[in-house]
Amino acid sequence: MNLKLYVNLCLFLFVPLFLSAQEKVVPVKYGDMEQWVTRKIHESGIIGGNTKLLYELGPTKEIEGNIPYINQGGSPWGNSNVMAKVVGIVKTNTSVYPEKRGDGYCARLETHIESVKVLGMVNITVLASGSLFLGDMKEPITSTKEGEKALNMGVPFTSRPKAVRFDYKVQMSGEPNRIRQTGFSKKSVVPGQDCAIMTCLLQKRTEDKDGNILAKRVGTAVVRYNKSEDWHNQVTYEIRYGDISHDVSYYDAELMELGVGKYYARNSKGESKMIQETEWANADEMPTHIILQFTSSLGGAFVGSPGNKLWIDNVGLVY
């Protein structure tokens, strides 16, 4: 490897990067993690009838009762805290929490095992990772088999920021491999250490006559965290524009490739469709949507290492 290529590679691998003093930082609404909606969900009596708390980023308020959640106060954030109703049984999962940090709050995302067992009716044990993302979730979840279709990933967005910035802390489980536990099959081992990730994708979306969502990739910024770290503040990750597949900045193909995440979104008719991201946009094209996601585990739904935790605070975009 020649010296110039080596130096360029180091610049991308050893983020954070530092931008000029002329920068402008635009906070993502509710991205300071200071305001939370607290939902009080009453689980079915057959599994104990407990009242569980689910937390959503939005205006400070409480919602009592088993009411499907719709984003409040113009909040652009969804997360993996959900109310499920499977064969008539109401069950919850909480994997994203508000946590005190100094004089305010941050978000804690964690990977854990969630189970519900009722003799002769249902026996489900799943791995649930903490995920915080721009978008929303359609409730109630009625099946683990198609849970990802409940996600509406990404929000409308028509600007070109230079970078994404936030504070973070990480705690890794220490396990050498991950597990897959879907609820309908035996627990299996997935080779490779777990990690927490941040994904920021800018897309130019269109919809065809059949309602399919097609997307070009306009901008890309991703990072994985594979070791425990204390708080890092105002960490900045550059967004790379256009086709980066042959560029030194394409250093993590698993997280940067087109179609990564196999994300779903709702089309103009409200139908859930997998986003078909099959083309790189020109470097000067304008996006129509942004995907910004933080998650405590790598590998998609039901894959990860229990005990992984990711803390996030003060999310903004740099111009």
Side-chain angles (χ1 to χ4, degrees), residues 134-145:
L134 294 181
D136 61 84
M137 182 82 74
K138 185 177 180 180
E139 289 185 335
I141 303 297
T142 57
S143 169
T144 62
K145 292 182 178 180

Side-chain angles (χ1 to χ4, degrees), residues 274-287:
M274 183 182 288
I275 302 168
Q276 299 179 36
E277 187 186 56
T278 58
E279 184 179 353
W280 298 95
N282 294 328
D284 59 353
E285 288 193 65
M286 192 68 70

Side-chain angles (χ1 to χ4, degrees), residues 148 151 153 197 199 201 203 205 259-265 273-277 291 293:
E148 290 183 320
L151 274 71
M153 185 63 73
I197 60 174
T199 302
L201 308 178
Q203 295 178 328
R205 296 183 188 175
V260 66
K262 295 182 171 55
Y263 295 121
Y264 281 82
K273 297 285 185 177
M274 183 182 288
I275 302 168
Q276 299 179 36
E277 187 186 56
I291 289 174
Q293 180 185 29

Side-chain angles (χ1 to χ4, degrees), residues 227-247:
K227 64 179 182 179
S228 296
E229 303 178 60
D230 204 352
W231 279 106
H232 294 266
N233 297 328
Q234 298 185 3
V235 183
T236 305
Y237 299 98
E238 184 180 5
I239 297 171
R240 304 292 292 179
Y241 284 88
D243 183 355
I244 63 170
S245 61
H246 303 291
D247 192 89

Side-chain angles (χ1 to χ4, degrees), residues 37 39-42 54 56 61 63-72 81-85 90-92 136-142 150:
V37 178
R39 305 168 59 199
K40 295 183 176 181
I41 306 296
H42 308 293
L54 301 186
E56 313 282 351
K61 63 188 298 186
I63 298 177
E64 175 80 33
N66 299 355
I67 303 167
Y69 186 73
I70 298 173
N71 287 18
Q72 304 285 304
N81 294 344
V82 294
M83 175 181 66
K85 191 172 185 179
V90 175
K91 180 78 174 71
T92 63
D136 61 84
M137 182 82 74
K138 185 177 180 180
E139 289 185 335
I141 303 297
T142 57

Side-chain angles (χ1 to χ4, degrees), residues 109 130-132 166 170 172 194-200 222-226 252 254-255 260-261 263 292-300 308 310 312:
L109 290 58
S131 180
L132 184 64
F166 52 90
V170 185
M172 291 288 100
D194 202 5
C195 62
I197 60 174
M198 181 281 295
T199 302
C200 180
V222 302
V223 63
R224 64 172 75 204
Y225 304 104
N226 54 18
D252 195 338
E254 182 182 8
L255 297 182
V260 66
Y263 295 121
L292 179 59
Q293 180 185 29
F294 303 92
T295 182
S296 59
S297 285
L298 172 70
N308 265 28
L310 172 66
I312 295 293

